[in-house]
Amino acid sequence: GYLAEKTARDFVKAKPYHPRGPYRLAQQLCDQENILEGLEWIEKGIAMTPMQVELHTLKVHYLSRLHRWDDALAACSPKEFAQHPQPALLVERADLLEHRGDIEGAIDATKQAVAIDADYYTAWTRLADWYRGIGNRKAYLEAAENLVRLNPNSAIPHGYLY
């Protein structure tokens, strides 16, 4: 709300070189009337701290909200991470590919994410859902088993096994 935005603005004014300032302010500027300003703050933040994955993820979200799909897809593969793809950005890429109807591309991107981080629960959830949707039972069960492995005390991942 207003107070959070004001606090974030005050923070970036008082500490203009603090690496989290642009991110915190951009988060508050997500409504449609302020989203372009939010995107500007994201770009400032990336210029200050180019390895902050959350800024790149937020950029993907804002570009998607603006229906700039090609730009959002490109933002999933920033040059800063060319040698070390980030699982969160791979899953963002997968979500955009799914939005375009490219389920196989989405699955490939998500498989890359779990190859980097085998404990990425969100990625395994996406894989389970997509494999169920295309009828790949073997791959679906592997994803479901990983969900149970990662969250054995919750009923939700066990539900994927039935």
Side-chain angles (χ1 to χ4, degrees), residues 10-130:
D10 291 346
F11 183 82
V12 296
K13 188 181 289 182
K15 298 182 179 184
Y17 300 106
H18 192 282
R20 298 295 282 178
Y23 175 71
R24 295 291 181 217
L25 180 53
Q27 283 182 305
Q28 301 308 315
L29 299 171
C30 61
D31 60 318
Q32 212 54 36
E33 70 183 47
N34 293 317
I35 199 164
L36 291 175
E37 182 186 357
L39 199 52
E40 289 174 18
W41 280 103
I42 291 167
E43 293 296 345
K44 288 177 186 176
I46 289 172
M48 286 173 59
T49 55
M51 302 305 283
Q52 189 177 346
V53 176
E54 298 91 348
L55 279 166
H56 293 278
T57 302
L58 196 60
K59 181 177 180 178
V60 172
H61 289 200
Y62 280 32
L63 291 168
S64 296
R65 291 200 52 213
L66 292 166
H67 302 276
R68 291 171 49 187
W69 306 114
D70 291 337
D71 292 336
L73 200 54
C76 293
S77 304
K79 67 181 184 306
E80 292 85 356
F81 301 112
Q83 300 303 313
H84 302 285
Q86 299 298 301
L89 291 170
L90 288 166
V91 170
E92 293 296 336
R93 176 179 176 73
D95 288 345
L96 290 166
L97 291 171
E98 178 200 26
H99 178 75
R100 288 186 165 183
D102 183 1
I103 299 299
E104 289 301 322
I107 288 171
D108 288 343
T110 309
K111 284 170 54 177
Q112 290 175 44
V114 296
I116 295 167
D117 181 359
D119 294 339
Y120 196 174
Y121 190 86
T122 300
W124 285 114
T125 301
R126 300 278 203 297
L127 285 172
D129 292 341
W130 291 329

